[in-house]
Amino acid sequence: VSASDALEQLQTILKFNVPYLTDKVSKHITELTQQLDVEEIYNKAQQAYEAGNYADAITYYSQIESTSPHYSDAQEKLEKAREKYKQQYLDEAAALAKKDDYVGAIDKLNDALKILKGGKTVGSSHSVIPGRKRTLQQAVRNRRQEID
């Protein structure tokens, strides 16, 4: 019997309003609902990872609680998703920097930092005066080092 089928049957039993069963059935309904929620989050993480959408995969894998049977697998895949995400953004930032688009490169690295460091960014890239190539190149190097 699947968890969703069991949940449906428990909800049917609860409708009969049998006093000595109500508390136990309600407890099992809560547990199964939580289990199904974790399964859904885990499946979404898997789908995002397989589609190469590492930002969403990171978000979903991070939601798997330590009490879940998927926790250790989710933590392992979370680290892989972070590495792939980081490399993807470093490659994109490097490509922008090669085109002398340092502001774009910094923005790309800041986007990566938001996901990898939980929302942290490193200053506004638009506050740097265009035409200061050396300053921008150093800013790109600094952002790359923070991601590494």
Side-chain angles (χ1 to χ4, degrees):
V1 176
S2 71
S4 58
D5 289 340
L7 181 61
E8 189 176 309
Q9 298 213 357
L10 286 170
Q11 288 170 334
T12 302
I13 292 169
L14 193 60
K15 289 178 185 177
F16 289 111
N17 203 17
V18 178
Y20 66 91
L21 288 178
T22 302
D23 288 342
K24 289 181 182 180
V25 171
S26 294
K27 178 183 172 193
H28 289 299
I29 287 173
T30 300
E31 290 170 358
L32 278 172
T33 302
Q34 289 172 344
Q35 180 183 347
L36 288 171
D37 289 346
V38 169
E39 289 291 328
E40 183 179 347
I41 291 169
Y42 183 77
N43 289 337
K44 285 181 179 181
Q46 292 288 93
Q47 291 168 355
Y49 184 87
E50 289 169 8
N53 186 348
Y54 302 117
D56 283 350
I58 291 167
T59 300
Y60 288 127
Y61 283 132
S62 297
Q63 293 176 25
I64 306 291
E65 295 181 12
S66 61
T67 57
S68 167
H70 294 296
Y71 182 74
S72 61
D73 185 51
Q75 290 303 300
E76 189 176 306
K77 290 182 177 174
L78 174 61
E79 287 309 310
K80 288 180 183 177
R82 281 187 172 135
E83 282 302 312
K84 288 185 180 258
Y85 182 78
K86 180 173 79 171
Q87 192 56 53
Q88 182 181 37
Y89 267 74
L90 289 174
D91 292 346
E92 290 174 15
L96 289 168
K98 281 183 182 178
K99 295 177 186 176
D100 290 336
D101 181 3
Y102 299 107
V103 171
I106 292 169
D107 285 343
K108 187 61 71 176
L109 294 170
N110 272 331
D111 289 344
L113 281 171
K114 286 178 190 175
I115 298 294
L116 295 171
K117 305 262 182 174
K120 175 186 171 192
T121 60
V122 185
S124 169
S125 60
H126 298 293
S127 65
V128 181
I129 300 169
R132 296 189 57 191
K133 186 175 179 177
R134 187 164 296 161
T135 302
L136 289 169
Q137 287 172 327
Q138 184 60 45
V140 169
R141 281 192 290 277
N142 291 344
R143 296 320 188 276
R144 284 185 64 115
Q145 287 173 353
E146 262 194 68
I147 290 175
D148 286 334

